[in-house]
Amino acid sequence: MLLSLVILYLLITIVIGLWAAKRVKNTADFAIAGRHLPLSMIVTTTFATWFGSETVLGIPAKFVTNGLHSVVEDPFGAGTCLILVGLFFAARLYRMNLLTISDYYRERYGRVVEVACSLIIMISYLGWVSAQITALGLVFNLLSGGAISIAAGMVIGTVSILAYTLFGGMWSVAVTDFVQMIILVAGLLILAVFAGQQAGGADRVMSLAMSRELFDFLPEPNFHDIAFFVAAAITMMFGSIPQQDVFQRVMSARDVGAATKGPVIGGVCYILFAFVPMFLVTSALVIMPDRATTLLADDPQKVLPTLVLERMPFIMQVLFFGALLSAIKSAASATLLAPSVTFVENIWRQFRPRQSDRKELWTMRVTVLAFSACVCTYAIVSQGTPIYELVSGAYQVTLVGAFVPLVAGLYWRRATTQGAIFAMTLGILSWLLFLATPAGEALPAQLVGMLLSAVGMVVGSLGPQAVKNAHGSHHRLVGLADR
């Protein structure tokens, strides 16, 4: 019965998405909803992009195992990213009237940087979308009592998301996000109240969390722990800023006010609401201590679904899986669309520069389909990797490769194309070096990569000018000597 209701819910979201798809007439409608979305929808779609499987399953599993300091990357870093986008990036980028974030790199640095950053951004989405597909597979596996394998569940989930994203693009994503976020917020809040009652009161749950020191946030006061804590915080805080899915929400706003306020409100709401799944998992330690302990040793991601399936009435199960599917589908649909639009706009156009708008729209849809197949395959191959790790690893490549050129291009007039190339090259090579060697155990690879990317930007931008000035000074001195 529960599985049937879940399938019904999937069908309803598909119908809503296909209804919204009727608004798509051109590539701007497909990619950025024609820049028509009001503030309320910018808030829900930015919130929805972040509130995915890792928030409902991954973050709580990390929190209940290692405490609050282990989730600094997400939700704290991720939510702060949206706030920073709204405060420092949204207005400047919105006024440029671009279709993708990679368009900015082309306008500021030229074609080479545009293509390089596009590839970096596209690669980063593999881990993020795979985390959502993995969670869908887990949901279908649990609801069917194992009759549907996790791999088969991944395929079913991917098809259900494709059914409307393929046709409606950003319009379908935004409208379904709006509906799904209402279900998500209401469902999880009701579950939290019910779980608190089952545990003997919210104060009892909080007492258990404090007794286990789960609310300890700051790292140990030594260089190693502080360095890795900072690296974890900036991975999504900065690494998510040069991302097409965030950019699409900014550019989809109907005015600059909605573009700037939407991400800020969405980011604050995300950080606050991410505590609800953490509370639910902690309550499981009170309600079913023995079962929860066993699951923590096996797979912490299963604690919350097991609590709902084994200890809560049917209506609560419906609410939970409705909320969970809302979170997963909203995040997955957004992140399937983003790299596909980037590929067509910033890479495919290099080979087909004179396509009609209708042909380009068709190409975007084909690319969504192809990317979905790649992501589903990657998720199946990556089975066993924790959802939280899939997400956190996704944003390191954009942090070390694309973040510094974006910030320098917007806020430093002396940034040059050569500086951007140096920044990307030095950032990525140093990151890979630290990942592949024992050096990464002493210093976090993504922190080293970002710092050296900044060094590359400065040296690459100022170095040639310094050499030119020195050469000019030398010639003037020689001229004076000759006289």
Side-chain angles (χ1 to χ4, degrees), residues 31-308:
I32 53 174
R35 291 167 66 105
H36 291 313
L37 299 185
L39 175 61
S40 59
M41 293 187 78
I42 297 298
V43 171
T44 54
T45 196
T46 50
F47 177 87
T49 304
W50 261 214
F51 209 103
S53 61
E54 76 291 346
T55 316
V56 182
L57 300 176
I59 291 174
K62 272 278 213 183
F63 168 73
V64 81
T65 305
N66 300 309
L68 202 60
H69 69 275
S70 67
V71 294
V72 61
E73 187 170 341
D74 191 6
F76 298 104
T80 304
C81 163
L82 292 178
I83 296 170
L84 293 175
V85 166
L87 293 177
F88 300 107
F89 296 90
R92 288 172 179 254
L93 292 172
Y94 186 84
R95 292 190 181 101
M96 294 181 72
N97 196 23
L98 307 171
L99 195 64
T100 71
I101 186 69
S102 295
D103 287 347
Y104 168 78
Y105 291 107
R106 181 185 66 245
E107 296 293 323
R108 185 65 174 82
Y109 299 116
R111 290 285 186 185
V112 172
V113 177
E114 173 198 10
V115 173
C117 285
S118 297
L119 291 172
I120 290 169
I121 291 167
M122 288 172 60
I123 290 169
S124 73
Y125 279 105
L126 274 177
W128 173 268
V129 189
S130 294
Q132 316 312 316
I133 301 302
T134 298
L136 283 171
L138 181 62
V139 168
F140 282 107
N141 179 257
L142 286 171
L143 292 180
S144 65
I148 299 175
S149 68
I150 292 179
M154 291 179 186
V155 175
I156 294 170
T158 303
V159 171
S160 71
I161 298 164
L162 262 179
Y164 61 84
T165 307
L166 190 64
F167 298 100
M170 190 60 198
W171 264 118
S172 291
V173 169
V175 172
T176 52
D177 279 355
F178 187 79
V179 174
Q180 288 170 162
M181 284 309 97
I182 294 172
I183 295 169
L184 170 67
V185 171
L188 288 182
L189 285 177
I190 293 170
L191 276 165
V193 172
F194 188 82
Q197 291 173 347
Q198 278 194 322
D203 55 336
R204 192 176 172 195
V205 177
M206 300 296 284
S207 296
L208 176 66
M210 286 188 285
S211 69
R212 292 188 172 215
E213 300 181 340
L214 295 180
F215 289 129
D216 289 353
F217 183 68
L218 295 177
E220 293 295 322
N222 60 71
F223 177 79
H224 180 274
D225 288 0
I226 292 173
F228 276 85
F229 180 83
V230 171
I234 65 171
T235 297
M236 289 190 73
M237 187 186 300
F238 296 158
S240 299
I241 290 175
Q243 285 286 9
Q244 176 61 16
D245 57 319
V246 176
F247 177 82
Q248 277 180 297
R249 275 127 196 84
V250 169
M251 297 305 293
S252 297
R254 66 184 177 190
D255 55 54
V256 71
T260 54
K261 293 175 185 175
V264 173
I265 298 171
V268 172
C269 291
Y270 175 70
I271 293 173
L272 294 176
F273 201 74
F275 280 93
V276 176
M278 291 188 237
F279 175 84
L280 283 166
V281 169
T282 309
S283 69
L285 300 178
V286 179
I287 299 168
M288 50 176 206
D290 295 336
R291 185 83 168 102
T293 302
T294 303
L295 288 169
L296 285 176
D298 176 37
D299 185 356
Q301 295 173 156
K302 293 182 179 179
V303 174
L304 185 49
T306 303
L307 169 67
V308 174

